[in-house]
Amino acid sequence: MKKILLDENDIPTSWYNIQADMPHPLDPPLNPKTYEPMRPEELNVIFPMELIRQEVSQERWIPIPEEVREIYRMWRPSPLYRAERLEKALKTPAKIYYKWEGVSPPGSHKPNSAVPQVYYNMKEGIERIATETGAGQWGSALSFSAKLFELQCRVYMVKCSYDQKPYRRVMMENWGAEVYASPSDQTNVGKEIQQKMPDTSGSLGIAISEAVEDAATHDNTNYALGSVLNHVVLHQSIIGLEMKKQFEQIDEYPDIILGCVGGGSNFAGASFPFLMDKIQGKKPDLRAISVEPLSCPTLTKGQFRYDFGDNVGLTPLLKMYTLGHNFVPAAIHAGGLRYHGDSPLLSRLTKEGYMEAVAYHQKEVFDAALLFAKTEGFVVAPEAAHAVKAAIDFALMAKRDNEEKTIVFANSGHGHFDLSAYDLYHQNKIQDYEYPEQLINQAMAELPTF
Amino acid sequence: MKKILLDENDIPTSWYNIQADMPHPLDPPLNPKTYEPMRPEELNVIFPMELIRQEVSQERWIPIPEEVREIYRMWRPSPLYRAERLEKALKTPAKIYYKWEGVSPPGSHKPNSAVPQVYYNMKEGIERIATETGAGQWGSALSFSAKLFELQCRVYMVKCSYDQKPYRRVMMENWGAEVYASPSDQTNVGKEIQQKMPDTSGSLGIAISEAVEDAATHDNTNYALGSVLNHVVLHQSIIGLEMKKQFEQIDEYPDIILGCVGGGSNFAGASFPFLMDKIQGKKPDLRAISVEPLSCPTLTKGQFRYDFGDNVGLTPLLKMYTLGHNFVPAAIHAGGLRYHGDSPLLSRLTKEGYMEAVAYHQKEVFDAALLFAKTEGFVVAPEAAHAVKAAIDFALMAKRDNEEKTIVFANSGHGHFDLSAYDLYHQNKIQDYEYPEQLINQAMAELPTF
């Protein structure tokens, strides 16, 4: 059996909220001006109430609306693959599985949260939604979801990505979204930056600021975020819940679960339904391991403390692993992993020892992606390639130790819009970056203390 | 139920060979020099014997080797989708289904034949395989398949595509293929053309000639073709055989089956297992309708007669619908449909009235693709978009006539490498071309008579 499939009726009816099982409750988000704990109502300017409720909910199971499950059926349940050809190439006694999210129309796991986010906005009368996008995966997912519920969608796309990845922009336009290069002339913050820095190639921080301003200053418009926050992680639990059913079907349970981490929603979504068993003491030996780039080593080298979610300092402060919000990572091809912070839930579970983290150089990650393409066929996104690299490493360790480990990784998306990076690989031009110790120290020194 | 899925064990164990059910046998291929019927052995210089046997076999069922079924499991059985959201947008009483081949690693139906072709070559000791590719779908599929069986692969890619679609080239390189812009300096025919026409942007005819010369002049090297021939059509029957099982599962049978036709293997593969029922008198009302571009209207405007398969006149002559092998179609974005001829089997069944054909302008085809993206989510290739357009048209006719028709179309691949065309669409730059009557008349007048 190559693929473990589920029936559409097996799509879970509730998301799993790990806040119900956290050994210690999360520290609250803080107001960016007063440093006082935020009240949920303060967020209602840019988020619908239902998402704010989910953000702080302590309920273990949160029902998935039938309208959302109906849309999930367009590509879910996603297949769990056994990577037999990769196992053979590695001559490992380990079994390697991967959960393949590249089957969604936008090509990644992102619509798992974009669809319910748009749905709840629609239910609360919102007619227009604004967001930022870097590499384009989140912007694509939100454009797709907005069209399905007939909301207007505005995407602020970081200027260098807008110029380098025109096809991601075209995907968003196919689904009816308006896409602007950021900084744009559509917001005050954008216009100011254009004036001050006419040659800037933009940043995710600027794009977030534009999208938030857009949402705050337009009628019936809200903002949507693609990772980090608890409600995003909640929606992504659909990945891990399906995986659990798929492993039950073949009467197995993973020893090691792996996934790439940028903001953390992909790997949190895949791993938390399994971590529930570990926290509850049923699976004490389960290892859940985040994989990140060595050039942006948030979990492996960052500190667990309060920091802003964006680079500008407008968003609430979150208690998380961070490299400092002023840290600007090197221009690696895995744009989705270039984030200074991390999901507070995933950060806390890492801090308390329930989760681990490893980091890799860029070139070895691409080596792994190529071996994967040549054995399993699929060309994966540079972000997902980090998880591939870790799966190969742990499979080789199992071979060294002659252990029949069961390894599974979250394969978060295809690389059909990342082929310029693969082209550089073939030209031997994929660069590794030194561990940016000085930059990180500097960014950490600039953090507010209180 | 949105997707009708089959289990991996439901992958058919035999391909369906419609030659066993043809009302009249095919006319034989003719030697391009003598115009005498070809003997199968003459083809053994560039094809393995097993494929030559399949080319002329009159057996109804030809077993699929277990090694091929094992590879098919990487993405097969492919899903049959109910296009409910499209139906709703059209307010049609018709049911619209589509068979989605975009799930394969190369992204189209092409590996259904590339995998067995490479397999039989490998079994007969061939170590290297050469082919041509235009838009890149076939070259990708053959590169992918060659890597799985560890054969070397050489692809001659039409120069203008090589320049315009670098990411298709990178896909092929990811799977280890050598890709050369054609005309190249790797063959005599390529060198001659480079000298005579240094500024040429190449053509599929030139690329075929290079690949055939490469195969004929290198040890242990064979040639592979991605459409037109009977053995390719045979392999593609896996599409229609799965579809029949999927319709049985929901206790339905299509009234109308649609697919785009370039060389014909995609639609022949999807429709022939159903046409078996029509030929055998069990389903007299079934309509099987080829969809082609108005700028290359082989079935709707061509003549049924002998012609060369390539533009240069090196391949055997086949009895088929043709526009004349000297006809050069306009540069539409559906590169895979720019072929002067057609599968002899599909041509014959069209000539005898078992199949029909319709043709569309380019712009209305893209309009259909955009409506599809906005309702069903997937961004399809410009080739597949022709079938989408026809499905919409027939669904609207069913609405006009208030008939509950069941319509199914072969959705042959995704459009992730065709977004430059979608970009032109958004800029209102998709061009329609007049029916090229004069060019076709001229090309037909140049055909040999005998």
Side-chain angles (χ1 to χ4, degrees), chain B residues 314-330:
Chain B
L314 295 175
T315 69
L317 292 117
L318 302 170
K319 185 85 168 277
M320 59 183 176
Y321 274 97
T322 180
L323 298 168
H325 64 277
N326 285 336
F327 171 67
V328 179

Side-chain angles (χ1 to χ4, degrees), chain A residues 6-57:
Chain A
L6 298 174
D7 191 84
E8 284 181 14
N9 299 323
D10 293 326
I11 294 176
T13 52
S14 295
W15 292 297
Y16 169 60
N17 179 17
I18 203 165
Q19 293 194 67
D21 288 304
M22 290 294 278
H24 305 95
L26 286 187
D27 298 289
L30 303 182
N31 183 300
K33 287 176 190 153
T34 64
Y35 297 169
E36 293 296 316
M38 295 275 282
R39 283 164 301 118
E41 311 83 74
E42 291 181 73
L43 294 165
N44 193 218
V45 184
I46 56 168
F47 290 121
M49 277 316 295
E50 179 56 31
L51 290 180
I52 299 169
R53 272 192 289 272
Q54 291 181 1
E55 189 66 19
V56 296
S57 169

Side-chain angles (χ1 to χ4, degrees), chain B residues 154-221:
Chain B
R154 166 71 67 90
V155 181
Y156 294 91
M157 187 173 188
V158 177
K159 186 166 186 308
C160 62
S161 294
Y162 185 94
D163 293 337
Q164 284 166 8
K165 295 199 171 192
Y167 297 154
R168 270 284 171 205
R169 167 182 58 74
V170 179
M171 280 293 267
M172 295 185 253
E173 289 173 350
N174 280 354
W175 289 311
E178 292 178 309
V179 186
Y180 283 89
S182 166
S184 75
D185 59 2
Q186 302 286 304
T187 65
N188 289 329
V189 85
K191 280 185 267 193
E192 269 172 40
I193 292 168
Q194 278 191 347
Q195 206 155 26
K196 270 193 238 165
M197 307 150 65
D199 296 327
T200 181
S201 58
S203 75
L204 210 51
I206 296 169
I208 292 177
S209 306
E210 287 206 273
V212 170
E213 180 188 321
D214 184 306
T217 56
H218 283 79
D219 281 348
N220 276 328
T221 299

Side-chain angles (χ1 to χ4, degrees), chain B residues 101-368:
Chain B
E101 294 291 312
V103 292
S104 76
S108 78
H109 66 292
K110 292 288 188 190
N112 296 335
S113 183
V115 169
Q117 287 194 47
V118 171
Y119 170 78
Y120 291 120
N121 275 291
M122 180 271 290
K123 289 296 275 187
E124 296 184 25
I126 294 296
E127 293 170 350
R128 185 171 170 280
I129 200 148
T131 198
E132 73 288 336
T133 199
Q137 293 274 24
W138 170 247
S140 301
L142 196 71
S143 305
F144 161 77
S145 307
K147 174 48 65 185
L148 298 179
F149 291 111
E150 292 295 352
L151 266 73
Q152 292 176 57
C153 183
R154 166 71 67 90
V155 181
Y156 294 91
M157 187 173 188
V158 177
K159 186 166 186 308
C160 62
S161 294
Y162 185 94
D163 293 337
Q164 284 166 8
K165 295 199 171 192
Y167 297 154
R168 270 284 171 205
R169 167 182 58 74
V170 179
M171 280 293 267
M172 295 185 253
E173 289 173 350
N174 280 354
W175 289 311
E178 292 178 309
V179 186
Y180 283 89
S182 166
S184 75
D185 59 2
Q186 302 286 304
T187 65
N188 289 329
V189 85
K191 280 185 267 193
E192 269 172 40
I193 292 168
Q194 278 191 347
Q195 206 155 26
K196 270 193 238 165
M197 307 150 65
D199 296 327
T200 181
S201 58
S203 75
L204 210 51
I206 296 169
I208 292 177
S209 306
E210 287 206 273
V212 170
E213 180 188 321
D214 184 306
T217 56
H218 283 79
D219 281 348
N220 276 328
T221 299
N222 265 347
Y223 169 73
L225 190 70
S227 191
V228 180
L229 298 181
N230 302 342
H231 68 267
V232 186
V233 166
L234 171 77
H235 303 151
Q236 295 293 355
S237 71
I238 190 89
I239 304 173
L241 292 168
E242 284 181 7
M243 279 165 71
K244 280 188 94 167
K245 286 195 190 189
Q246 285 162 315
F247 276 112
E248 274 165 28
Q249 196 168 295
I250 53 171
D251 207 17
E252 291 205 39
Y253 194 96
D255 298 301
I256 299 170
I257 179 167
L258 302 160
C260 66
V261 171
S265 73
N266 159 54
F267 187 50
S271 63
F272 283 4
F274 294 92
L275 276 167
M276 174 174 70
D277 298 338
K278 186 180 172 95
I279 296 172
Q280 292 177 354
K282 294 176 201 159
K283 293 286 177 185
D285 297 331
L286 172 69
R287 296 180 68 186
I289 306 169
S290 301
V291 190
E292 55 185 20
L294 258 169
S295 54
C296 189
T298 317
L299 295 164
T300 48
K301 302 282 189 180
Q303 290 179 23
F304 183 66
R305 57 180 291 181
Y306 271 109
D307 194 3
F308 297 102
D310 65 335
N311 304 103
V312 185
L314 295 175
T315 69
L317 292 117
L318 302 170
K319 185 85 168 277
M320 59 183 176
Y321 274 97
T322 180
L323 298 168
H325 64 277
N326 285 336
F327 171 67
V328 179
I332 56 169
H333 295 286
L337 306 186
R338 296 178 68 237
Y339 184 61
H340 68 277
D342 233 319
S343 147
L345 287 164
L346 187 145
S347 292
R348 171 62 78 116
L349 289 169
T350 304
K351 178 70 182 171
E352 297 194 359
Y354 291 95
M355 302 180 78
E356 306 164 59
V358 292
Y360 290 106
H361 271 306
Q362 179 160 246
K363 180 145 182 328
E364 59 191 350
V365 163
F366 271 90
D367 289 338

Side-chain angles (χ1 to χ4, degrees), chain A residues 2-3 8 73-74 76 81 85 148 169 174-175 373-374 376-377 414 416-417 419 423 426, chain B residues 1-3 8 73-74 76 81 85 148 169 174-175 373-374 376-377 416-417 419 423 426:
Chain A
K2 182 88 193 140
K3 304 183 290 299
E8 284 181 14
R73 287 190 183 94
M74 295 174 82
R76 307 210 70 86
Y81 269 86
R85 296 180 61 90
L148 297 179
R169 167 183 58 75
N174 281 354
W175 289 311
K374 287 177 177 174
E376 295 296 311
H414 66 62
H416 297 170
F417 298 98
L419 286 165
D423 199 15
H426 295 303
Chain B
M1 195 61 118
K2 181 89 194 140
K3 306 184 290 299
E8 283 180 16
R73 287 190 185 95
M74 294 173 83
R76 306 209 70 85
Y81 268 87
R85 297 181 60 92
L148 298 179
R169 167 182 58 74
N174 280 354
W175 289 311
K374 287 177 178 175
E376 295 296 312
H416 297 170
F417 298 98
L419 287 166
D423 199 15
H426 295 304

